């Protein structure tokens, strides 16, 4: 598709958006408004949204779900540690990326189960039963998630982002805004993941050095040390029940309550 056609399509889309926005603004001045985008204030002060707005909010939440999984759960730490472990073992693409992602996803679900259960019991279920409004449900759910992230975030990282945002100390965890908690939590997760990965890398590095020294002393310069060390790494990892130790250690690093 050539450039003039692209410019024409862009102009048509921009014009359509402009017309829709103007039309929406004009119809908002009407008493009835646009039926698909109505927000009705109830006598008790709560706001009821039309079905179209609810669907729009749901689709937006679904599109943001991968980012929420990466940034607000234990997924980031687990997938980084597993990737470093695979690299330390020298097994190239074994386990494959899909397997590592599946392990990280289900371990994250296991770790996050108490928090997600609290979100469902205190926010989702009352909202579905129409006991609380959408704003209250979102506030309650975000507070529970914020509490989990703060418990597993280093105080140093929270202070750093709080100072960068120009805000002082907070009296309670609930007072810390999500804009500070999220980057502090992700930074803390990255640091913890690399610390654990360093400890996992050391024994495999020792095996590589020993095998390389032995091959050099035997004069086998043409034989790859990594190729010879691989079965010894796998044997060591199996003998010490490495997967159970790694998974158990990762789960134990989180404070769920």
């Amino acid at each position: 598709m050539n450039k003039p056609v692209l410019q024409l399509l862009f102009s048509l889309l921009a014009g359509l958006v402009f017309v829709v926005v103007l039309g929406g603004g004009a119809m908002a001045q009407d008493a009835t408004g646009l039926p698909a985008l109505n927000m009705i204030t109830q006598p008790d002060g709560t706001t009821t949204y039309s079905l179209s707005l609810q669907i729009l909010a749901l689709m937006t939440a679904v599109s943001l779900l991968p980012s929420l999984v990466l940034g607000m759960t234990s997924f980031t730490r687990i997938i980084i540690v597993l990737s470093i472990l695979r690299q330390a073992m020298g097994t190239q693409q074994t386990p494959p990326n899909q397997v590592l992602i599946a392990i990280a996803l289900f371990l994250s679900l296991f770790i996050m189960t108490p928090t997600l259960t609290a979100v469902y019991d205190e926010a989702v279920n009352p909202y579905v039963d129409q006991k609380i409004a959408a704003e209250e449900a979102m506030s309650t759910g975000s507070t529970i998630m914020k509490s989990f992230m703060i418990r597993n975030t280093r105080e140093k990282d929270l202070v750093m982002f709080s100072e960068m945002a120009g805000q002082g100390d907070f009296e309670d965890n609930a007072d810390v805004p999500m804009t500070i908690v999220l980057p502090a939590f992700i930074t803390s997760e990255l640091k913890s993941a690399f610390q654990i990965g360093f400890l996992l890398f050391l024994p495999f590095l020792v095996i590589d050095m020993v095998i390389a020294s032995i091959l050099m002393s035997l004069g086998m310069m043409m034989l790859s040390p990594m190729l010879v060390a691989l079965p010894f790494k796998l044997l060591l990892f199996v003998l010490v029940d490495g997967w159970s130790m790694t998974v158990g250690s990762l789960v134990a690093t989180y404070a769920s309550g």
Side-chain angles (χ1 to χ4, degrees):
M1 186 177 294
N2 54 18
K3 187 175 181 180
V5 176
L6 289 176
Q7 292 179 347
L8 178 60
L9 289 176
F10 180 80
S11 300
L12 290 176
L13 289 175
L16 180 60
V17 171
F18 185 74
V19 170
V20 170
V21 171
L22 285 183
M27 295 185 70
Q29 298 176 359
D30 194 2
T32 58
L34 187 62
L37 302 176
N38 271 340
M39 293 183 296
I40 303 174
T41 302
Q42 302 295 335
D44 57 356
T46 60
T47 303
T48 302
Y49 299 94
S50 63
L51 181 61
S52 299
L53 284 177
Q54 295 179 16
I55 294 176
L56 178 62
L58 178 61
M59 296 302 296
T60 303
V62 170
S63 63
L64 293 176
L65 184 60
S67 299
L68 297 179
V69 172
L70 290 175
M72 300 178 65
T73 67
S74 58
F75 183 86
T76 300
R77 183 189 303 187
I78 296 173
I79 193 63
I80 291 177
V81 170
L82 294 180
S83 300
I84 295 177
L85 175 61
R86 182 179 65 180
Q87 185 177 358
M89 293 176 63
T91 54
Q92 302 299 326
Q93 294 297 321
T94 304
N97 293 330
Q98 291 84 351
V99 175
L100 292 185
I101 293 175
I103 295 173
L105 185 61
F106 288 113
L107 281 180
S108 301
L109 181 61
F110 177 80
I111 294 171
M112 298 296 299
T113 294
T115 303
L116 296 179
T117 301
V119 171
Y120 179 80
D121 293 339
E122 300 179 22
V124 178
N125 197 26
Y127 173 71
V128 173
D129 294 339
Q130 298 182 354
K131 296 180 180 178
I132 59 176
E135 293 85 355
E136 184 179 353
M138 293 180 61
S139 177
T140 303
S142 62
T143 301
I144 297 174
M145 292 298 300
K146 186 194 303 180
S147 177
F148 167 81
M149 289 188 289
I150 292 178
R151 285 197 304 268
N152 294 281
T153 303
R154 292 177 174 82
E155 183 178 355
K156 178 181 178 181
D157 296 325
L158 284 172
V159 172
M160 179 185 69
F161 282 99
S162 177
E163 293 177 351
M164 292 174 62
Q167 302 186 21
D169 298 333
F170 299 97
E171 297 181 358
D172 191 7
N173 291 342
D175 298 333
V176 184
M178 191 67 76
T179 54
I180 294 178
V181 176
L182 279 175
F185 176 73
I186 295 175
T187 304
S188 181
E189 288 290 282
L190 291 175
K191 183 176 181 179
S192 299
F194 279 98
Q195 287 177 343
I196 298 173
F198 171 76
L199 297 176
L200 288 175
F201 213 105
L202 284 180
F204 298 106
L205 180 61
V206 172
I207 295 177
D208 285 333
M209 295 175 62
V210 170
I211 295 298
S213 300
I214 294 175
L215 292 178
M216 184 175 295
S217 63
L218 295 176
M220 299 180 180
M221 304 297 183
M222 303 301 295
L223 190 59
S224 174
M226 295 182 61
L227 182 63
V228 179
L230 179 58
F232 292 98
K233 292 180 181 179
L234 295 178
L235 179 62
L236 173 66
F237 198 68
V238 171
L239 289 178
V240 300
D241 198 9
W243 285 113
S244 297
M245 292 180 59
T246 303
V247 170
S249 300
L250 282 172
V251 173
T253 56
Y254 283 94
S256 59

